[in-house]
Short mmCIF file of all heavy atoms in Angstrom, two decimals:
data_model
loop_
_atom_site.label_atom_id
_atom_site.label_comp_id
_atom_site.label_asym_id
_atom_site.label_seq_id
_atom_site.Cartn_x
_atom_site.Cartn_y
_atom_site.Cartn_z
N ALA A 1 7.85 38.64 4.04
CA ALA A 1 8.24 37.78 5.17
C ALA A 1 9.75 37.61 5.21
O ALA A 1 10.35 37.62 6.28
CB ALA A 1 7.55 36.42 5.07
N ALA A 2 10.37 37.48 4.05
CA ALA A 2 11.83 37.33 3.98
C ALA A 2 12.52 38.56 4.57
O ALA A 2 13.50 38.44 5.32
CB ALA A 2 12.27 37.11 2.54
N VAL A 3 11.99 39.75 4.26
CA VAL A 3 12.58 40.98 4.79
C VAL A 3 12.44 41.02 6.31
O VAL A 3 13.39 41.33 7.03
CB VAL A 3 11.93 42.23 4.14
CG1 VAL A 3 12.39 43.50 4.83
CG2 VAL A 3 12.25 42.28 2.66
N VAL A 4 11.24 40.69 6.81
CA VAL A 4 11.01 40.69 8.26
C VAL A 4 11.95 39.70 8.95
O VAL A 4 12.52 40.00 10.00
CB VAL A 4 9.54 40.35 8.58
CG1 VAL A 4 9.34 40.12 10.07
CG2 VAL A 4 8.61 41.45 8.10
N MET A 5 12.12 38.52 8.36
CA MET A 5 12.94 37.48 8.95
C MET A 5 14.43 37.72 8.76
O MET A 5 15.26 37.09 9.40
CB MET A 5 12.56 36.12 8.36
CG MET A 5 11.16 35.67 8.70
SD MET A 5 10.60 34.25 7.74
CE MET A 5 11.76 33.00 8.24
N GLY A 6 14.78 38.62 7.85
CA GLY A 6 16.19 38.91 7.59
C GLY A 6 16.88 37.82 6.80
O GLY A 6 18.07 37.56 7.01
N VAL A 7 16.14 37.17 5.87
CA VAL A 7 16.70 36.10 5.04
C VAL A 7 16.36 36.38 3.58
O VAL A 7 15.56 37.26 3.27
CB VAL A 7 16.14 34.71 5.44
CG1 VAL A 7 16.52 34.36 6.88
CG2 VAL A 7 14.64 34.64 5.27
N SER A 8 16.95 35.60 2.68
CA SER A 8 16.66 35.76 1.25
C SER A 8 15.27 35.21 0.95
O SER A 8 14.72 34.42 1.73
CB SER A 8 17.69 35.02 0.41
OG SER A 8 17.53 33.61 0.57
N ILE A 9 14.72 35.59 -0.19
CA ILE A 9 13.39 35.10 -0.59
C ILE A 9 13.42 33.58 -0.76
O ILE A 9 12.48 32.89 -0.39
CB ILE A 9 12.87 35.80 -1.86
CG1 ILE A 9 11.47 35.31 -2.25
CG2 ILE A 9 13.81 35.60 -3.03
CD1 ILE A 9 10.39 35.71 -1.31
N GLY A 10 14.53 33.04 -1.29
CA GLY A 10 14.65 31.59 -1.45
C GLY A 10 14.63 30.87 -0.11
O GLY A 10 13.99 29.83 0.04
N SER A 11 15.33 31.43 0.84
CA SER A 11 15.35 30.85 2.18
C SER A 11 13.96 30.92 2.82
O SER A 11 13.50 29.96 3.44
CB SER A 11 16.38 31.58 3.05
OG SER A 11 16.43 31.02 4.33
N ALA A 12 13.30 32.06 2.67
CA ALA A 12 11.94 32.20 3.22
C ALA A 12 10.99 31.19 2.59
O ALA A 12 10.17 30.57 3.27
CB ALA A 12 11.42 33.61 3.00
N ARG A 13 11.11 31.01 1.28
CA ARG A 13 10.25 30.05 0.57
C ARG A 13 10.53 28.64 1.08
O ARG A 13 9.59 27.85 1.28
CB ARG A 13 10.50 30.14 -0.94
CG ARG A 13 9.55 29.26 -1.74
CD ARG A 13 9.68 29.49 -3.24
NE ARG A 13 9.01 30.74 -3.59
CZ ARG A 13 9.64 31.81 -4.07
NH1 ARG A 13 10.94 31.80 -4.27
NH2 ARG A 13 8.97 32.90 -4.35
N THR A 14 11.79 28.31 1.30
CA THR A 14 12.15 26.98 1.82
C THR A 14 11.57 26.78 3.21
O THR A 14 10.96 25.73 3.50
CB THR A 14 13.68 26.81 1.85
OG1 THR A 14 14.18 26.94 0.52
CG2 THR A 14 14.07 25.46 2.41
N HIS A 15 11.73 27.76 4.09
CA HIS A 15 11.17 27.66 5.45
C HIS A 15 9.65 27.52 5.39
O HIS A 15 9.06 26.73 6.13
CB HIS A 15 11.54 28.88 6.29
CG HIS A 15 12.99 28.96 6.61
ND1 HIS A 15 13.69 27.96 7.24
CD2 HIS A 15 13.89 29.95 6.38
CE1 HIS A 15 14.95 28.32 7.40
NE2 HIS A 15 15.10 29.52 6.89
N TYR A 16 9.01 28.27 4.50
CA TYR A 16 7.57 28.25 4.35
C TYR A 16 7.10 26.87 3.88
O TYR A 16 6.19 26.27 4.47
CB TYR A 16 7.16 29.34 3.35
CG TYR A 16 5.71 29.36 2.97
CD1 TYR A 16 4.75 29.86 3.83
CD2 TYR A 16 5.30 28.90 1.72
CE1 TYR A 16 3.42 29.89 3.47
CE2 TYR A 16 3.97 28.94 1.35
CZ TYR A 16 3.03 29.42 2.23
OH TYR A 16 1.72 29.45 1.86
N ASP A 17 7.73 26.35 2.83
CA ASP A 17 7.33 25.05 2.28
C ASP A 17 7.57 23.92 3.28
O ASP A 17 6.71 23.07 3.49
CB ASP A 17 8.07 24.76 0.97
CG ASP A 17 7.61 25.65 -0.18
OD1 ASP A 17 6.46 26.15 -0.11
OD2 ASP A 17 8.39 25.85 -1.13
N ARG A 18 8.73 23.93 3.90
CA ARG A 18 9.03 22.88 4.89
C ARG A 18 8.11 23.01 6.11
O ARG A 18 7.70 22.00 6.69
CB ARG A 18 10.49 22.97 5.33
CG ARG A 18 11.45 22.52 4.25
CD ARG A 18 12.88 22.62 4.70
NE ARG A 18 13.78 22.23 3.64
CZ ARG A 18 15.08 22.41 3.65
NH1 ARG A 18 15.66 22.98 4.71
NH2 ARG A 18 15.83 22.04 2.64
N GLY A 19 7.81 24.23 6.49
CA GLY A 19 6.91 24.46 7.62
C GLY A 19 5.51 23.91 7.35
O GLY A 19 4.91 23.27 8.22
N LYS A 20 4.99 24.17 6.15
CA LYS A 20 3.66 23.65 5.80
C LYS A 20 3.65 22.12 5.82
O LYS A 20 2.73 21.51 6.37
CB LYS A 20 3.23 24.12 4.41
CG LYS A 20 2.77 25.54 4.34
CD LYS A 20 2.04 25.88 3.06
CE LYS A 20 2.74 25.42 1.81
NZ LYS A 20 2.08 25.84 0.58
N LYS A 21 4.70 21.52 5.26
CA LYS A 21 4.78 20.06 5.21
C LYS A 21 4.85 19.48 6.63
O LYS A 21 4.12 18.55 6.97
CB LYS A 21 6.00 19.63 4.40
CG LYS A 21 6.15 18.14 4.29
CD LYS A 21 7.38 17.76 3.49
CE LYS A 21 7.54 16.25 3.45
NZ LYS A 21 8.80 15.85 2.84
N ARG A 22 5.71 20.04 7.46
CA ARG A 22 5.87 19.52 8.83
C ARG A 22 4.62 19.76 9.67
O ARG A 22 4.22 18.90 10.45
CB ARG A 22 7.10 20.17 9.49
CG ARG A 22 7.37 19.67 10.88
CD ARG A 22 7.75 18.20 10.90
NE ARG A 22 7.96 17.77 12.28
CZ ARG A 22 7.54 16.63 12.76
NH1 ARG A 22 6.95 15.76 12.00
NH2 ARG A 22 7.75 16.33 14.03
N LEU A 23 3.99 20.92 9.50
CA LEU A 23 2.76 21.22 10.23
C LEU A 23 1.68 20.20 9.85
O LEU A 23 0.96 19.70 10.72
CB LEU A 23 2.29 22.64 9.93
CG LEU A 23 1.07 23.13 10.69
CD1 LEU A 23 1.33 23.13 12.20
CD2 LEU A 23 0.69 24.53 10.23
N ARG A 24 1.56 19.89 8.58
CA ARG A 24 0.60 18.89 8.13
C ARG A 24 0.88 17.54 8.81
O ARG A 24 -0.05 16.88 9.30
CB ARG A 24 0.66 18.74 6.61
CG ARG A 24 -0.41 17.83 6.04
CD ARG A 24 -0.37 17.73 4.51
NE ARG A 24 -0.54 19.04 3.90
CZ ARG A 24 0.41 19.66 3.16
NH1 ARG A 24 1.56 19.07 2.93
NH2 ARG A 24 0.18 20.84 2.64
N GLU A 25 2.16 17.14 8.86
CA GLU A 25 2.53 15.87 9.51
C GLU A 25 2.15 15.89 10.99
O GLU A 25 1.61 14.91 11.51
CB GLU A 25 4.04 15.62 9.36
CG GLU A 25 4.48 15.33 7.96
CD GLU A 25 6.00 15.34 7.79
OE1 GLU A 25 6.71 15.64 8.79
OE2 GLU A 25 6.47 15.08 6.67
N LEU A 26 2.46 16.98 11.67
CA LEU A 26 2.15 17.07 13.11
C LEU A 26 0.65 17.02 13.35
O LEU A 26 0.19 16.39 14.32
CB LEU A 26 2.75 18.35 13.69
CG LEU A 26 4.27 18.39 13.77
CD1 LEU A 26 4.75 19.80 14.13
CD2 LEU A 26 4.78 17.38 14.78
N LEU A 27 -0.12 17.70 12.50
CA LEU A 27 -1.58 17.68 12.67
C LEU A 27 -2.14 16.30 12.38
O LEU A 27 -3.09 15.87 13.05
CB LEU A 27 -2.22 18.74 11.78
CG LEU A 27 -1.94 20.18 12.21
CD1 LEU A 27 -2.49 21.16 11.18
CD2 LEU A 27 -2.49 20.47 13.58
N GLU A 28 -1.58 15.59 11.40
CA GLU A 28 -2.04 14.23 11.12
C GLU A 28 -1.72 13.31 12.29
O GLU A 28 -2.53 12.45 12.65
CB GLU A 28 -1.41 13.71 9.83
CG GLU A 28 -2.02 14.34 8.59
CD GLU A 28 -1.27 13.99 7.31
OE1 GLU A 28 -0.24 13.28 7.37
OE2 GLU A 28 -1.73 14.44 6.25
N GLU A 29 -0.54 13.48 12.91
CA GLU A 29 -0.20 12.70 14.10
C GLU A 29 -1.20 12.97 15.22
O GLU A 29 -1.65 12.05 15.89
CB GLU A 29 1.20 13.05 14.59
CG GLU A 29 2.32 12.54 13.72
CD GLU A 29 3.68 13.07 14.16
OE1 GLU A 29 3.78 13.62 15.28
OE2 GLU A 29 4.64 12.93 13.39
N SER A 30 -1.56 14.23 15.41
CA SER A 30 -2.53 14.60 16.45
C SER A 30 -3.88 13.99 16.14
O SER A 30 -4.57 13.50 17.03
CB SER A 30 -2.66 16.11 16.54
OG SER A 30 -1.46 16.68 16.99
N GLU A 31 -4.28 14.02 14.87
CA GLU A 31 -5.57 13.44 14.48
C GLU A 31 -5.59 11.95 14.75
O GLU A 31 -6.57 11.42 15.28
CB GLU A 31 -5.80 13.72 12.98
CG GLU A 31 -7.14 13.25 12.47
CD GLU A 31 -7.31 13.61 11.01
OE1 GLU A 31 -7.27 14.80 10.69
OE2 GLU A 31 -7.49 12.68 10.20
N ASP A 32 -4.50 11.24 14.41
CA ASP A 32 -4.43 9.81 14.68
C ASP A 32 -4.54 9.53 16.17
O ASP A 32 -5.21 8.61 16.61
CB ASP A 32 -3.13 9.22 14.15
CG ASP A 32 -3.07 9.20 12.62
OD1 ASP A 32 -4.15 9.32 11.99
OD2 ASP A 32 -1.96 9.09 12.06
N LEU A 33 -3.88 10.36 17.00
CA LEU A 33 -3.93 10.20 18.44
C LEU A 33 -5.37 10.36 18.94
O LEU A 33 -5.85 9.55 19.72
CB LEU A 33 -3.02 11.23 19.12
CG LEU A 33 -3.09 11.29 20.64
CD1 LEU A 33 -2.54 10.00 21.23
CD2 LEU A 33 -2.33 12.49 21.15
N TYR A 34 -6.07 11.40 18.47
CA TYR A 34 -7.44 11.63 18.92
C TYR A 34 -8.37 10.51 18.46
O TYR A 34 -9.23 10.08 19.19
CB TYR A 34 -7.96 12.98 18.42
CG TYR A 34 -7.51 14.10 19.30
CD1 TYR A 34 -6.47 14.94 18.93
CD2 TYR A 34 -8.10 14.30 20.54
CE1 TYR A 34 -6.04 15.96 19.76
CE2 TYR A 34 -7.67 15.31 21.37
CZ TYR A 34 -6.64 16.13 20.98
OH TYR A 34 -6.22 17.12 21.81
N GLU A 35 -8.18 10.03 17.23
CA GLU A 35 -9.04 8.95 16.75
C GLU A 35 -8.84 7.69 17.59
O GLU A 35 -9.79 7.02 17.94
CB GLU A 35 -8.76 8.67 15.27
CG GLU A 35 -9.32 9.73 14.36
CD GLU A 35 -8.98 9.50 12.90
OE1 GLU A 35 -8.34 8.47 12.58
OE2 GLU A 35 -9.36 10.34 12.08
N SER A 36 -7.59 7.38 17.93
CA SER A 36 -7.34 6.18 18.72
C SER A 36 -7.91 6.33 20.13
O SER A 36 -8.43 5.38 20.69
CB SER A 36 -5.84 5.85 18.76
OG SER A 36 -5.13 6.85 19.44
N GLU A 37 -7.83 7.52 20.74
CA GLU A 37 -8.41 7.74 22.06
C GLU A 37 -9.93 7.60 22.00
O GLU A 37 -10.55 7.02 22.88
CB GLU A 37 -8.02 9.12 22.59
CG GLU A 37 -6.59 9.20 23.05
CD GLU A 37 -6.22 10.59 23.56
OE1 GLU A 37 -7.11 11.45 23.69
OE2 GLU A 37 -5.03 10.81 23.82
N TRP A 38 -10.54 8.13 20.94
CA TRP A 38 -11.99 8.05 20.80
C TRP A 38 -12.42 6.60 20.64
O TRP A 38 -13.39 6.17 21.24
CB TRP A 38 -12.43 8.88 19.60
CG TRP A 38 -13.92 8.89 19.44
CD1 TRP A 38 -14.81 9.62 20.13
CD2 TRP A 38 -14.68 8.09 18.53
NE1 TRP A 38 -16.09 9.36 19.72
CE2 TRP A 38 -16.03 8.42 18.73
CE3 TRP A 38 -14.35 7.14 17.58
CZ2 TRP A 38 -17.04 7.82 18.00
CZ3 TRP A 38 -15.36 6.56 16.86
CH2 TRP A 38 -16.69 6.89 17.08
N GLU A 39 -11.68 5.82 19.83
CA GLU A 39 -12.03 4.42 19.63
C GLU A 39 -11.98 3.66 20.95
O GLU A 39 -12.83 2.81 21.21
CB GLU A 39 -11.09 3.77 18.62
CG GLU A 39 -11.32 4.24 17.20
CD GLU A 39 -10.22 3.78 16.24
OE1 GLU A 39 -9.30 3.05 16.67
OE2 GLU A 39 -10.30 4.16 15.07
N ARG A 40 -11.00 3.93 21.79
CA ARG A 40 -10.90 3.24 23.09
C ARG A 40 -12.08 3.60 23.98
O ARG A 40 -12.56 2.78 24.74
CB ARG A 40 -9.58 3.59 23.77
CG ARG A 40 -8.41 2.82 23.21
CD ARG A 40 -7.21 2.94 24.13
NE ARG A 40 -6.70 4.28 24.16
CZ ARG A 40 -5.64 4.70 23.49
NH1 ARG A 40 -4.97 3.86 22.74
NH2 ARG A 40 -5.23 5.95 23.57
N LYS A 41 -12.57 4.84 23.91
CA LYS A 41 -13.69 5.25 24.74
C LYS A 41 -14.98 4.58 24.27
O LYS A 41 -15.82 4.20 25.06
CB LYS A 41 -13.85 6.77 24.73
CG LYS A 41 -12.77 7.46 25.53
CD LYS A 41 -12.93 8.95 25.48
CE LYS A 41 -11.77 9.61 26.21
NZ LYS A 41 -11.79 11.05 26.11
N VAL A 42 -15.13 4.45 22.94
CA VAL A 42 -16.34 3.83 22.39
C VAL A 42 -16.32 2.33 22.65
O VAL A 42 -17.31 1.74 23.05
CB VAL A 42 -16.46 4.12 20.88
CG1 VAL A 42 -17.57 3.31 20.26
CG2 VAL A 42 -16.69 5.61 20.67
N ASN A 43 -15.18 1.69 22.42
CA ASN A 43 -15.07 0.26 22.61
C ASN A 43 -13.97 0.00 23.64
O ASN A 43 -12.81 -0.14 23.31
CB ASN A 43 -14.73 -0.40 21.25
CG ASN A 43 -14.65 -1.91 21.35
OD1 ASN A 43 -14.85 -2.48 22.43
ND2 ASN A 43 -14.34 -2.56 20.24
N ARG A 44 -14.34 -0.07 24.87
CA ARG A 44 -13.38 -0.20 25.96
C ARG A 44 -12.60 -1.52 25.90
O ARG A 44 -11.57 -1.65 26.55
CB ARG A 44 -14.07 -0.05 27.30
CG ARG A 44 -14.69 1.32 27.46
CD ARG A 44 -15.14 1.54 28.89
NE ARG A 44 -15.86 2.77 29.03
CZ ARG A 44 -15.30 3.96 29.18
NH1 ARG A 44 -14.00 4.06 29.22
NH2 ARG A 44 -16.04 5.05 29.31
N ALA A 45 -13.08 -2.48 25.12
CA ALA A 45 -12.38 -3.76 25.01
C ALA A 45 -11.18 -3.66 24.07
O ALA A 45 -10.36 -4.56 24.02
CB ALA A 45 -13.34 -4.84 24.49
N THR A 46 -11.09 -2.56 23.33
CA THR A 46 -9.99 -2.38 22.39
C THR A 46 -8.68 -2.22 23.15
O THR A 46 -8.57 -1.46 24.08
CB THR A 46 -10.20 -1.11 21.54
OG1 THR A 46 -11.46 -1.22 20.88
CG2 THR A 46 -9.09 -0.94 20.52
N VAL A 47 -7.70 -3.02 22.74
CA VAL A 47 -6.38 -2.93 23.37
C VAL A 47 -5.40 -2.41 22.33
O VAL A 47 -5.34 -2.90 21.23
CB VAL A 47 -5.93 -4.33 23.87
CG1 VAL A 47 -4.54 -4.25 24.47
CG2 VAL A 47 -6.93 -4.88 24.85
#
């Protein structure tokens, strides 16, 4: 991947590790959003 991207192996590893961490955060944010939307549909009194 480092060769394809034209970067050093250390740089590729850093991009890979940071990417996994950030992707996990974004997916958790999406999951929280969906759970809150679902809760509002089940209990319409929820504000």
Side-chain angles (χ1 to χ4, degrees):
V3 172
V4 170
M5 294 168 63
V7 298
S8 69
I9 181 69
S11 181
R13 185 172 284 115
T14 300
H15 292 304
Y16 174 76
D17 290 337
R18 288 180 182 169
K20 284 194 312 185
K21 181 181 177 187
R22 182 65 181 138
L23 184 62
R24 186 178 301 116
E25 291 169 358
L26 291 170
L27 291 174
E28 286 172 358
E29 288 172 14
S30 294
E31 184 178 300
D32 291 342
L33 173 67
Y34 278 103
E35 286 177 2
S36 65
E37 285 180 8
W38 183 79
E39 288 170 2
R40 281 194 293 259
K41 287 179 184 175
V42 171
N43 182 0
R44 297 190 187 278
T46 304
V47 178

